Amino acid sequence: MAPAATRGAARAVRCGAVGLSTGLLAVLAHAGGGGHLPSLPHLLVFALAIGCTCLPLTDQQLGFGELLSLVGAVQVAAHVFLVVLSHDPRELVPAPAMLLGHALATAIVIIALAGFEQAVFRLAAAVAAVLPRRLSPPPAVAPLRIPIAAHPPQPLAEVLRRRTVPRRGPPVS
């Protein structure tokens, strides 16, 4: 049985971990670089949007390249989102301190998520090895034999009547 970390609740947990960790550290890096903090509802909507965006990407284990591109894109999106919320277009180009904060947050999130991905997939493989396997029928090696009931025995008179007196059709006009 294949590890089930790409389906069901494990996939939702992985998407939630990516959304919360990336969104939270992006906001903290933005605030640490001199940006404004958003309200809690804005932060939750942003984290939910990140988690939903990650859903198509979590159908397989994420490698370093996928994590780097995903987290990098989220850091840029978070910065733009927070600048739009602050209504100050001058902050669109980040200050060096904010750029350093976003780069540091990206590195921290990538390291944490790479370890989390390995742990989740190892745990799923260990659980799949312990759980009983689903029993399936053996593969077919010959055509399936289906017993067919024999025709019910008919009296001799009925057999003779069918053979000697053919059925008639409608009268000919």
Side-chain angles (χ1 to χ4, degrees), residues 143-150:
L144 183 63
R145 295 184 186 264
I146 301 174
I148 299 175

Side-chain angles (χ1 to χ4, degrees), residues 11 23 38 50 52 55 74-75 89 96 104 127 136 142 148 156:
R11 186 174 186 178
I50 294 169
C52 290
L55 191 62
V74 167
Q75 291 294 324
L104 187 60
V127 168
S136 60
I148 299 175
L156 184 58

Side-chain angles (χ1 to χ4, degrees), residues 8 14 28 34 41 45 47 69 94 102 104 117 125 131 136 139 145 153 155 166 173:
R14 289 173 59 219
L28 291 177
V45 167
S69 61
H102 280 296
L104 187 60
E117 282 282 302
L131 290 177
S136 60
R145 295 184 186 264
S173 49

Side-chain angles (χ1 to χ4, degrees), residues 4-84:
T6 59
R7 299 186 307 267
R11 186 174 186 178
V13 167
R14 289 173 59 219
C15 289
V18 169
L20 286 176
S21 63
T22 307
L24 184 63
L25 281 179
V27 169
L28 291 177
H30 189 82
H36 301 289
L37 282 175
S39 64
L40 185 61
H42 288 119
L43 182 61
L44 291 178
V45 167
F46 183 67
L48 182 66
I50 294 169
C52 290
T53 303
C54 297
L55 191 62
L57 301 174
T58 56
D59 60 345
Q60 61 185 0
Q61 186 174 3
L62 297 175
F64 182 78
E66 290 97 356
L67 284 173
L68 178 64
S69 61
L70 174 67
V71 173
V74 167
Q75 291 294 324
V76 171
H79 177 74
V80 171
F81 176 72
L82 294 171
V83 167
V84 167

Side-chain angles (χ1 to χ4, degrees), residues 117-133:
E117 282 282 302
Q118 287 182 350
V120 166
F121 274 85
R122 285 183 181 168
L123 179 66
V127 168
V130 173
L131 290 177
R133 304 251 189 271

